[in-house]
Amino acid sequence: MAYNEALAQRIRLLLGERNDVVEKKMFGGLAFMVAGHMCVGVSENRLMARVGPDNYQAALEKPHAHEMDFTGKPMKGFVFVEEPAISDTQLLREWIALCESFVFSLPPK
């Protein structure tokens, strides 16, 4: 499965000042690991957002966000965000910040 390289590059730019980001191929796309934890990624033209269980329902209520379900079963704490909801830098930055907030709540790796 291919992923949108332009979206990946936009994410790289927003995470660019961090020194704890690693890119990994996973979920059929590209994931950005922050501090050792999967934070965000790109699958096709969508953002994969790891919002965590506490923010999951609120994230699903946002426009153009839906369950992440690779196997036909939703992955709790993860949502797909379609292009209209990440079309400009500020919108993408807000999703990434939400995901970083969850990742930083996890125990260090």
Side-chain angles (χ1 to χ4, degrees):
M1 184 180 298
Y3 63 89
N4 182 320
E5 181 58 42
L7 177 55
Q9 184 58 29
R10 290 175 60 211
I11 294 169
R12 284 183 194 105
L13 290 172
L14 290 172
L15 293 175
E17 294 182 13
R18 303 191 62 83
N19 62 5
D20 59 352
V21 176
V22 174
E23 296 180 25
K24 286 190 176 185
K25 301 251 177 162
M26 61 188 327
F27 298 123
L30 182 66
F32 291 83
M33 313 294 285
V34 174
H37 297 282
M38 191 281 188
C39 183
V40 296
V42 183
S43 175
E44 298 175 356
N45 291 318
R46 306 172 290 202
L47 178 72
M48 293 184 289
R50 186 178 186 189
V51 297
D54 292 343
N55 295 318
Y56 182 67
Q57 195 56 47
L60 287 175
E61 293 170 10
K62 293 184 180 204
H64 307 287
H66 57 92
E67 294 177 332
M68 188 170 144
D69 59 348
F70 284 111
T71 62
K73 182 178 177 185
M75 295 180 66
K76 288 285 186 181
F78 290 82
V79 297
F80 278 136
V81 183
E82 301 296 335
E83 202 281 328
I86 53 172
S87 59
D88 70 44
T89 301
Q90 184 57 37
L91 292 170
L92 180 58
R93 182 179 286 124
E94 289 170 9
W95 277 103
I96 290 173
L98 178 63
C99 296
E100 284 178 313
S101 176
F102 171 68
V103 164
F104 295 140
S105 75
L106 298 172
K109 282 202 169 192

